[in-house]
Amino acid sequence: MTQRKSFGSDNHAGVHPAIIQAIVDANPGHAVSYGADERTEQVTAALREVFGADEAFLVPNGSGANVLGLSLLLRRHEGVICAETAHIYTDECGAPERLVGTKLLAVPSSDGKLTPEGIAVYLSGRGDDHRSQPGVVAVTQSTELGTCYSLAELRKIADFCRASDLRVYLDGARLANAAAGLDCSLAELAECADVLSFGGTKNGAMGAEALIVMRPGLAADVPYLRKQQAQHTSKMRFVAAQFGALLDDDLWHANAAHANAMARRLAEGVADLGGVDIVHPVQANAVFARLDPRHVAALRQEWYFHVWDEQNSVVRWMAAFDTTEADVDTFLEGIRSAVSR
Amino acid sequence: MTQRKSFGSDNHAGVHPAIIQAIVDANPGHAVSYGADERTEQVTAALREVFGADEAFLVPNGSGANVLGLSLLLRRHEGVICAETAHIYTDECGAPERLVGTKLLAVPSSDGKLTPEGIAVYLSGRGDDHRSQPGVVAVTQSTELGTCYSLAELRKIADFCRASDLRVYLDGARLANAAAGLDCSLAELAECADVLSFGGTKNGAMGAEALIVMRPGLAADVPYLRKQQAQHTSKMRFVAAQFGALLDDDLWHANAAHANAMARRLAEGVADLGGVDIVHPVQANAVFARLDPRHVAALRQEWYFHVWDEQNSVVRWMAAFDTTEADVDTFLEGIRSAVSR
Amino acid sequence: MTQRKSFGSDNHAGVHPAIIQAIVDANPGHAVSYGADERTEQVTAALREVFGADEAFLVPNGSGANVLGLSLLLRRHEGVICAETAHIYTDECGAPERLVGTKLLAVPSSDGKLTPEGIAVYLSGRGDDHRSQPGVVAVTQSTELGTCYSLAELRKIADFCRASDLRVYLDGARLANAAAGLDCSLAELAECADVLSFGGTKNGAMGAEALIVMRPGLAADVPYLRKQQAQHTSKMRFVAAQFGALLDDDLWHANAAHANAMARRLAEGVADLGGVDIVHPVQANAVFARLDPRHVAALRQEWYFHVWDEQNSVVRWMAAFDTTEADVDTFLEGIRSAVSR
Amino acid sequence: MTQRKSFGSDNHAGVHPAIIQAIVDANPGHAVSYGADERTEQVTAALREVFGADEAFLVPNGSGANVLGLSLLLRRHEGVICAETAHIYTDECGAPERLVGTKLLAVPSSDGKLTPEGIAVYLSGRGDDHRSQPGVVAVTQSTELGTCYSLAELRKIADFCRASDLRVYLDGARLANAAAGLDCSLAELAECADVLSFGGTKNGAMGAEALIVMRPGLAADVPYLRKQQAQHTSKMRFVAAQFGALLDDDLWHANAAHANAMARRLAEGVADLGGVDIVHPVQANAVFARLDPRHVAALRQEWYFHVWDEQNSVVRWMAAFDTTEADVDTFLEGIRSAVSR
């Protein structure tokens, strides 16, 4: 495919060699399907332990994990408070509305994060049967803007939610990047949540996400909901193998830490460059930068990345587990050359 | 996992070596995500050609393909006529009802097949706004009972449906087995359908299904519906690689023909055995047999397979692409031993 | 409209004079909308008392009451066991599937009733995540075939359901007819149910149904679900007025008892008539009879009624609160004349 | 109920005497149910003529009309662009999301109206399969803020939508007030729309809304969708009777014009009052005013009305068809007394 590395998305990377090898190793012989195999049992047990979770389930798809998690936490008439930048709000073609039937209650956010104050706005409709009743708060960690909630920020939201009879869903498609960025454990991040997803795909897997159920009493419904929502994989051993490899020797952490470091290297490389403004703190593996539209156009002729906000000429550059220092440096040269025209 | 081959499901097999290799080969470098990569374009083009289709799309999940296909063909108030044995009716935990909001209109069937007469029963409610209006007829090929519609039977249904303003969805989770069993092309099987699925997973892939759109004018909505239904894979190149390998040198056909042959070998092996009755013609890769419950119990102590119909003590034995003659023969010995106790 | 009374449906009748008067009397002045008015509070309090219920709510529509009641009792992945003759199964154009997203699990029934044995069939799928999990049993009282469950039959079902972790929804669109037919109280009928509807419309109201919540802990969600399902009436006082009139001096009972008596008179009138077979016990306000198709055709030229089962030439004749003895006798003459041709 | 007239909502009024009379007059005798009666046919024919419509249908509920209309116009993956103040967005407890499965795409609006510029923002996501695709634009006329789109404004939106492959749904819960306020015909207002609702309930009916289908080719699905969405009334003649009375001698216009005049009288009465600011043009039957919170509290001790925006201390006062000049004047005295404390 493309010769050069893409800075378009961590999804553009392939699969980490150890994960490919784990898939190959999982292949010989027959195994019971739909997750009743030993490998799946071992991996979900390991996930339970890593997260201090009640239960863990594997699904192939990130939107699928989000929809499954939300449907587990919501009563039928309840809505989901989320940042206006949330993936579930903008990037799933209305999956939560269609598949869960819920209303998303968006909160303006300049940094991709929610605050208790932003959440509280929707509590004024409580008890009014004309209003979608807030039931779940969905946070994303790391956020769609490459920022991370600090543990203190997460705790503040969790405390607020518990005091307000709101459950917390955490979209952890890039949870590994947050854990690496904050230098904390996955369990510490999960503490704030009733249910969360733990993404493997953007962190070197082929297609593997986990649904982590923290709050007791919820897990029994998951197998049925997962099947009903068409997120149940028959040859589950291959999803399990991917997570097995990610957990071995904390490969998930190494991958994420490396991607984060490459994003930082990129951000630092443009820091003193006239004509490039970093618009969000680089706390995970994404760099958001403002460039002159002409420079954006020039750069895109040779490099693949997304224009995030056309109006303000903000672009997103993402590093992946396999982005090298040399990749970043070559890209930095390209940027320098583009902005100097 | 299990040392012995399972006769429980074609899902218990792993991945064909050529397909694993194709996955490994697809890994190096970056590729645009969500199916905009070259490999996906090549494979969907190849599928279009093989099927004589208007368009082809890749999804990771068989229930996902079914729901996507049905939602493409149904108006909101319409129902789906299917055999009472259909996977969508009995084995998807209500996914079509939940995700599409449609009513399934089941037709009794002793051999897993629909007939124009069975379909016609539901036409009597046409025009009555209290009745779910039949809009789609869903056939499964090969059926859940291991039988195949002949091309003539399919054509009869297709003709009836066209004359009756009904669209045809074909659940082709085991379409390869049908094509091999009937010694016909995939295109001949697809002719009867407006939309169909073409299953890779049960035929040696890891997790790869295709949605084949035959009727012009429908395909434009698929990308959105696929994303909305959480069936859109980010690292699509790996799904494409699986189908690429299946299409190369007609591996799909070789795998299916082999599995079918192993099922026939098994059926022939028990044919003259007292105490084992084959209850459906063996036209694909499944054998349905009636045994004394005591014999079933004895056999299950050493072999994995499903009791299909507890009341009538009917079991299902399935062969996979990697079932060997030796596997069948060992199993036959086990059966002989069990029924002779 | 039609001069002659219709035997087509109890919905063909108008509104009982006392109910029309109650509507007129409720009109003067302003009242808070959406059920926060005094009249609604009084009527729902009265309903709570009559039923020994936890809470009562008013809705304008019978299908709306059913969908609301089912959504209150079902977890997202659960299905509803019902008789294949149930209104929710055959006559709501797929409303439960679309609005609740649930699968209906139909049980064959020759008399419109469920039995523990029929229900039990679906319990075999318990714990299999591919199967829609039975969560609710929906009984109809009186049934769509004009029969009534005896109190003993209801209790048997309720006991079975409680022992099997199934909740009971009772579709009481004609509950009044059952209470009158069985000579029991509404509370006795409601005892078997977790949630039930109590129909006013078919019993002399204009458009008024009640949702009666028996099981504690469910009622808090109803206001939101009712609004979300577009079953919340702004000028609620007029729905309340209808139920107020129905409850006054047990008008509901008088109306139902009269309609039942007229159905019995009709059934008795044809009992000794050659060529007319009563096919179900007449236990409420409907008579199901088998006639020669030629006689059906002749009779329908002058009278309005439904052919229930074309294949078996079974027709349905319904009496309403305002059907008079003279109406029945005239109709009987018509029948006699038709069958003697 | 309350002695004094409420200024809380036009829903707090009862039923216009002519409409009550029409209901009473419709009562004698039997009539075919579910809208197959003569009266319904006459009234829907009259509505077709008044609106220049392709077809007209009666429903009991305003949210029900909205959901039905939207479901008629939307493909499954499409979203609805609406003002952030729209009833469907804020006041239906998530009915469109739950019952239609659609995403609402809200546009900020200070006056309750949409503009082509506001709509256009969502067109940037066209063709991106991660984004809910805009399919329908929902306008409300008169708006939730008591303003009216001019015919020129409506035409501009309609032209923009047609050029942009967007369909227009018009929520006409208070369409009569708009027609009276703009001194135009219902047909002129309907011209911009593909489908619209025409509200009777807020204009003196008991519970009667019409769904007006302007665009040819859509109407055939309505009967099924209406039943499926539990909006099909069995004793339809009484809904028809209400609309019949509203259409007779243009009672709808007289009622609306009167309510509008009373709102204007109220607005004019406070115009020169210190401490009361009218915050939106009074173009229909609602007055939005900003008062000191202390004055609001004082006034609410004796009068019923809604605080619309607590933060900015904005209240809504609504006039109904039966609000008299004396009612307004008494209320004005109350306001004067409250603000002078």
Side-chain angles (χ1 to χ4, degrees), chain D:
Chain D
M1 310 277 162
T2 57
Q3 303 255 326
R4 280 183 168 174
K5 296 287 172 58
S6 160
F7 286 84
S9 172
D10 34 15
N11 277 329
H12 292 189
V15 181
H16 188 278
I19 300 176
I20 277 276
Q21 191 56 50
I23 289 172
V24 171
D25 293 348
N27 197 34
H30 279 200
V32 184
S33 56
Y34 289 110
D37 60 297
E38 272 178 57
R39 186 175 270 105
T40 302
E41 280 171 34
Q42 287 162 5
V43 165
T44 52
L47 285 167
R48 276 201 304 274
E49 193 173 318
V50 165
F51 280 93
D54 184 56
E55 198 44 272
F57 299 89
L58 306 180
V59 292
N61 187 283
S63 295
N66 288 339
V67 164
L68 181 55
L70 292 175
S71 66
L72 201 59
L73 289 170
L74 285 164
R75 288 149 95 179
R76 283 174 203 272
H77 61 282
E78 289 180 336
V80 178
I81 297 173
C82 63
E84 64 180 354
T85 52
H87 198 267
I88 55 170
Y89 191 68
T90 64
D91 274 299
E92 301 186 349
C93 202
E97 288 89 349
R98 162 72 59 198
L99 303 188
V100 190
T102 189
K103 187 176 190 71
L104 301 194
L105 306 164
V107 176
S109 171
S110 60
D111 60 359
K113 301 189 208 171
L114 287 171
T115 60
E117 293 71 34
I119 295 166
V121 168
Y122 282 106
L123 297 185
S124 69
R126 276 269 175 88
D128 175 352
D129 59 17
H130 287 64
R131 299 292 161 85
S132 184
Q133 296 295 300
V136 167
V137 168
V139 298
T140 313
Q141 176 80 315
S142 62
T143 75
E144 286 77 7
L145 300 183
T147 57
C148 287
Y149 292 87
S150 70
L151 287 178
E153 286 173 325
L154 279 185
R155 240 173 262 131
K156 229 173 98 186
I157 288 178
D159 289 347
F160 179 83
C161 289
R162 267 155 213 168
S164 310
D165 190 24
L166 292 164
R167 288 125 271 155
V168 176
Y169 175 73
L170 189 154
D171 177 348
R174 293 188 184 98
L175 194 71
N177 299 95
L182 294 167
D183 198 19
C184 68
S185 71
L186 294 170
E188 285 173 287
L189 290 175
E191 255 173 35
C192 75
D194 294 292
V195 173
L196 70 153
S197 68
F198 175 42
T201 314
K202 294 175 196 293
N203 195 26
M206 184 181 295
E209 309 286 313
L211 190 80
I212 310 294
V213 180
M214 302 299 290
R215 178 197 278 221
L218 295 175
D221 284 2
V222 176
Y224 308 105
L225 291 171
R226 177 173 61 177
K227 180 65 194 168
Q228 192 187 44
Q229 294 171 13
Q231 298 295 324
H232 201 7
T233 302
S234 55
K235 296 186 176 174
M236 187 74 90
R237 56 170 139 167
F238 297 104
V239 183
Q242 295 177 59
F243 263 110
L246 276 170
L247 292 177
D248 268 0
D249 298 325
D250 292 338
L251 177 62
W252 65 269
H253 191 277
N255 281 355
H258 177 77
N260 289 2
M262 292 305 99
R264 272 200 314 277
R265 183 183 187 90
L266 178 55
E268 285 159 9
V270 297
D272 55 350
L273 209 62
V276 182
D277 293 323
I278 302 296
V279 295
H280 299 299
V282 178
Q283 298 170 336
N285 63 326
V287 177
F288 287 79
R290 188 182 299 109
L291 283 82
D292 186 286
R294 280 184 313 114
H295 298 158
V296 172
L299 194 57
R300 290 183 90 192
Q301 288 187 338
E302 295 193 39
W303 296 88
Y304 191 107
F305 57 88
H306 289 290
V307 177
W308 191 258
D309 172 354
E310 185 119 29
Q311 219 173 349
N312 294 303
S313 199
V314 170
V315 302
R316 184 188 75 171
W317 299 323
M318 292 210 92
F321 79 90
D322 66 347
T323 306
T324 63
E325 297 194 351
D327 293 328
V328 173
D329 295 344
T330 315
F331 188 38
L332 279 168
E333 274 176 51
I335 296 170
R336 268 181 224 115
S337 153
V339 299
S340 64
R341 281 185 213 177

Side-chain angles (χ1 to χ4, degrees), chain C residues 75-238:
Chain C
R75 287 149 96 180
R76 284 175 202 270
H77 60 282
E78 289 180 335
V80 178
I81 298 172
C82 63
E84 63 180 356
T85 52
H87 198 267
I88 55 169
Y89 191 68
T90 63
D91 274 299
E92 301 187 349
C93 201
E97 289 88 350
R98 160 72 59 199
L99 303 190
V100 191
T102 189
K103 186 175 190 72
L104 300 194
L105 306 164
V107 176
S109 172
S110 60
D111 60 359
K113 300 189 209 171
L114 288 172
T115 60
E117 294 69 36
I119 296 167
V121 168
Y122 282 106
L123 297 185
S124 70
R126 275 268 175 90
D128 175 352
D129 59 17
H130 288 64
R131 299 292 162 85
S132 184
Q133 296 295 299
V136 167
V137 169
V139 298
T140 313
Q141 176 80 315
S142 62
T143 75
E144 286 76 8
L145 300 183
T147 57
C148 287
Y149 291 88
S150 70
L151 287 178
E153 286 173 324
L154 280 185
R155 240 172 263 132
K156 228 173 98 186
I157 288 177
D159 289 347
F160 179 83
C161 288
R162 269 156 212 167
S164 308
D165 190 24
L166 292 164
R167 287 126 272 157
V168 176
Y169 175 73
L170 190 155
D171 178 348
R174 293 188 184 97
L175 194 72
N177 299 95
L182 294 167
D183 197 19
C184 69
S185 71
L186 294 170
E188 285 174 288
L189 291 174
E191 254 173 35
C192 76
D194 294 292
V195 173
L196 69 153
S197 67
F198 175 42
T201 314
K202 294 175 196 292
N203 195 26
M206 184 182 294
E209 309 286 312
L211 190 81
I212 310 293
V213 181
M214 302 299 290
R215 180 197 277 219
L218 295 174
D221 284 3
V222 175
Y224 307 105
L225 291 170
R226 177 173 60 177
K227 180 64 193 170
Q228 192 187 42
Q229 293 171 13
Q231 297 296 324
H232 201 6
T233 303
S234 54
K235 296 186 177 174
M236 187 74 90
R237 57 170 140 166
F238 298 104

Side-chain angles (χ1 to χ4, degrees), chain B residues 248-319:
Chain B
D248 268 0
D249 298 325
D250 291 339
L251 176 62
W252 66 267
H253 191 276
N255 281 354
H258 177 77
N260 289 2
M262 293 306 98
R264 272 199 315 276
R265 184 183 186 91
L266 178 56
E268 285 159 10
V270 297
D272 55 349
L273 209 62
V276 182
D277 294 321
I278 302 295
V279 296
H280 299 300
V282 178
Q283 298 170 334
N285 63 326
V287 177
F288 288 79
R290 188 182 298 108
L291 283 83
D292 186 287
R294 280 184 314 114
H295 299 158
V296 172
L299 194 56
R300 289 185 90 193
Q301 289 187 336
E302 296 192 40
W303 295 87
Y304 192 107
F305 58 85
H306 288 291
V307 178
W308 192 259
D309 172 354
E310 184 120 29
Q311 220 174 348
N312 295 303
S313 198
V314 171
V315 302
R316 184 187 76 171
W317 299 324
M318 292 210 93

Side-chain angles (χ1 to χ4, degrees), chain A residues 1-7 9-17 20 23-24 26-34 36-40 60-61 63-64 67 76 87 91-96 98-100 200-207 223-225 227-235 237-238 242 304 320-323, chain B residues 1-7 9-17 20 23-24 26-34 36-40 60-61 63-64 67 76 87 91-96 98-100 200-207 223-225 227-235 237-238 242 304 320-323:
Chain A
M1 311 276 159
T2 58
Q3 303 253 327
R4 279 184 169 173
K5 295 289 171 56
S6 160
F7 286 84
S9 171
D10 34 16
N11 277 327
H12 292 189
V15 181
H16 188 277
I20 278 275
I23 288 173
V24 171
N27 197 34
H30 278 200
V32 184
S33 55
Y34 290 110
D37 60 298
E38 271 177 58
R39 187 173 269 104
T40 303
N61 188 283
S63 297
V67 164
R76 283 174 203 273
H87 198 267
D91 273 299
E92 302 187 347
C93 201
R98 161 71 57 198
L99 302 190
V100 190
T201 313
K202 293 176 197 290
N203 194 26
M206 184 182 293
Y224 308 106
L225 292 170
K227 180 65 194 168
Q228 192 186 42
Q229 293 171 14
Q231 297 296 324
H232 201 6
T233 302
S234 55
K235 296 186 177 173
R237 56 170 140 165
F238 297 104
Q242 295 176 60
Y304 192 106
F321 78 91
D322 65 347
T323 306
Chain B
M1 313 272 160
T2 58
Q3 303 255 326
R4 279 182 168 174
K5 295 288 172 57
S6 160
F7 286 83
S9 172
D10 35 14
N11 278 328
H12 292 189
V15 180
H16 189 278
I20 277 276
I23 288 173
V24 171
N27 197 33
H30 278 201
V32 184
S33 55
Y34 289 111
D37 60 296
E38 272 177 56
R39 186 173 271 106
T40 303
N61 188 283
S63 296
V67 163
R76 285 174 201 274
H87 198 267
D91 273 299
E92 301 187 348
C93 201
R98 161 71 58 197
L99 303 190
V100 190
T201 313
K202 294 175 196 293
N203 195 26
M206 184 182 293
Y224 308 105
L225 292 170
K227 180 65 194 167
Q228 192 185 45
Q229 293 171 15
Q231 297 296 324
H232 201 6
T233 302
S234 55
K235 296 186 177 174
R237 56 171 140 167
F238 298 104
Q242 296 176 58
Y304 192 107
F321 78 91
D322 66 347
T323 306

Side-chain angles (χ1 to χ4, degrees), chain A residues 58-323:
Chain A
L58 306 180
V59 292
N61 188 283
S63 297
N66 287 339
V67 164
L68 181 54
L70 292 175
S71 67
L72 201 59
L73 289 170
L74 286 164
R75 287 149 95 178
R76 283 174 203 273
H77 61 281
E78 289 180 336
V80 178
I81 298 173
C82 63
E84 63 179 356
T85 53
H87 198 267
I88 56 170
Y89 192 67
T90 64
D91 273 299
E92 302 187 347
C93 201
E97 289 88 350
R98 161 71 57 198
L99 302 190
V100 190
T102 190
K103 188 177 190 72
L104 300 194
L105 307 164
V107 176
S109 171
S110 59
D111 60 358
K113 300 189 209 170
L114 288 171
T115 60
E117 294 68 37
I119 297 166
V121 168
Y122 282 106
L123 298 184
S124 70
R126 275 269 173 89
D128 175 353
D129 59 16
H130 287 62
R131 298 292 161 86
S132 184
Q133 296 294 299
V136 167
V137 169
V139 298
T140 313
Q141 175 79 319
S142 62
T143 74
E144 286 76 9
L145 300 183
T147 57
C148 287
Y149 292 88
S150 70
L151 288 178
E153 285 173 326
L154 278 185
R155 239 172 264 132
K156 229 174 99 186
I157 288 178
D159 289 347
F160 179 83
C161 288
R162 269 156 211 166
S164 308
D165 191 23
L166 292 164
R167 287 126 272 156
V168 176
Y169 175 73
L170 189 154
D171 177 348
R174 293 189 184 97
L175 194 70
N177 299 95
L182 294 167
D183 196 20
C184 68
S185 70
L186 294 170
E188 286 174 287
L189 290 175
E191 255 174 33
C192 75
D194 294 292
V195 173
L196 70 152
S197 67
F198 175 43
T201 313
K202 293 176 197 290
N203 194 26
M206 184 182 293
E209 310 284 313
L211 191 80
I212 311 293
V213 181
M214 302 299 290
R215 181 197 276 220
L218 295 175
D221 285 3
V222 175
Y224 308 106
L225 292 170
R226 178 174 59 177
K227 180 65 194 168
Q228 192 186 42
Q229 293 171 14
Q231 297 296 324
H232 201 6
T233 302
S234 55
K235 296 186 177 173
M236 186 74 90
R237 56 170 140 165
F238 297 104
V239 184
Q242 295 176 60
F243 263 111
L246 276 170
L247 293 177
D248 268 1
D249 298 326
D250 291 339
L251 176 62
W252 65 268
H253 190 276
N255 281 356
H258 177 77
N260 289 2
M262 291 306 99
R264 271 199 315 276
R265 183 182 188 91
L266 178 56
E268 284 159 12
V270 297
D272 54 350
L273 208 63
V276 182
D277 294 322
I278 302 296
V279 296
H280 299 300
V282 178
Q283 297 170 335
N285 62 326
V287 177
F288 288 79
R290 188 183 298 109
L291 283 82
D292 187 286
R294 280 184 313 115
H295 299 157
V296 172
L299 194 57
R300 291 184 89 193
Q301 288 187 337
E302 296 193 38
W303 296 88
Y304 192 106
F305 58 86
H306 288 291
V307 177
W308 191 259
D309 173 354
E310 185 119 29
Q311 220 175 348
N312 295 301
S313 198
V314 170
V315 301
R316 185 188 74 171
W317 298 324
M318 292 209 93
F321 78 91
D322 65 347
T323 306

